[in-house]
Amino acid sequence: MLKTTLLALSIFFALAVAAQAQEVEAQDSRPSMHRGRDDIGKPAEEIIARAEIRHEEETHKEMVERAGEAAQIGDEILNDYKKNNALNGDDLKKLERLDKLAHKIRGNAGASEDVELEDPPSRLEDAVKRIADASDLLNKSVQKTSRLVISAAVINHSNELIELIKHVRNIQHP
């Protein structure tokens, strides 16, 4: 009888170990992205999701502000050029700021590669006008785009602006 009881306990123990191993294996087979989130619970997930949304909204708001500033700088450079028929030191500083803004906007839009400028203007006056136009188009594109969309127009306008600024630098200092 003792042998039978020990045999029954051994079988019971072996089945319990096998069941536990199957449960662990089933948990490990779940997709890894869900494993960590299941442990933290619903309120924490909601807090994380709200924080991500808030961060995206702030990032988009900053991008809209940058685009507005870029359009303003483009207009200022064009007006200064019309008055002086040349670009002065302040205008070159504005070009630097405009370049940084365009790079940040392009980066936030999801792009990072420079592209070649199609049909580059041969005269400085034409290049400055195109900078003003491109910065205005960039601003309008960013204004129309929600935080949930990656806009090809925003990327194209920022790329054009960046390349125009490079072109103006080359015209100024060949």
Side-chain angles (χ1 to χ4, degrees), residues 60-152:
H60 184 261
K61 182 181 175 186
E62 289 172 0
M63 193 160 90
V64 169
E65 290 171 357
R66 285 183 184 122
E69 183 181 351
Q72 180 182 356
I73 291 172
D75 285 342
E76 289 173 4
I77 292 170
L78 179 60
N79 291 335
D80 289 348
Y81 184 82
K82 285 179 180 179
K83 287 179 190 173
N84 304 323
N85 227 12
L87 295 177
N88 60 31
D90 287 340
D91 295 326
L92 296 176
K93 287 179 185 178
K94 289 176 185 178
L95 276 176
E96 288 295 321
R97 177 67 182 152
L98 188 57
D99 187 45
K100 288 180 182 180
L101 291 169
H103 274 91
K104 286 180 181 180
I105 291 168
R106 183 179 70 178
N108 284 346
S112 61
E113 299 277 328
D114 286 348
V115 296
E116 265 193 56
L117 185 62
E118 293 179 22
D119 190 32
S122 57
R123 299 180 326 155
L124 182 59
E125 179 181 5
D126 296 334
V128 171
K129 285 179 184 176
R130 269 185 68 181
I131 284 175
D133 291 341
S135 61
D136 185 52
L137 287 172
L138 176 60
N139 183 35
K140 289 176 181 173
S141 296
V142 170
Q143 297 288 337
K144 291 180 194 174
T145 305
S146 83
R147 68 176 173 82
L148 303 173
V149 176
I150 295 175
S151 172

Side-chain angles (χ1 to χ4, degrees), residues 7 12 29 36 62 140:
L7 182 60
F12 178 76
S29 69
E62 289 172 0
K140 289 176 181 173

Side-chain angles (χ1 to χ4, degrees), residues 117 121 127 130-131 134 159-168:
L117 185 62
R130 269 185 68 181
I131 284 175
N159 278 333
E160 180 182 12
L161 188 55
I162 290 166
E163 292 304 311
L164 283 167
I165 292 168
K166 286 181 188 176
H167 188 69
V168 166

Side-chain angles (χ1 to χ4, degrees), residues 29-47:
S29 69
R30 288 185 306 180
S32 62
M33 65 182 200
H34 293 298
R35 253 187 266 156
R37 291 253 169 140
D38 286 348
D39 296 342
I40 60 176
K42 295 289 181 193
E45 286 178 19
E46 191 173 319
I47 291 170

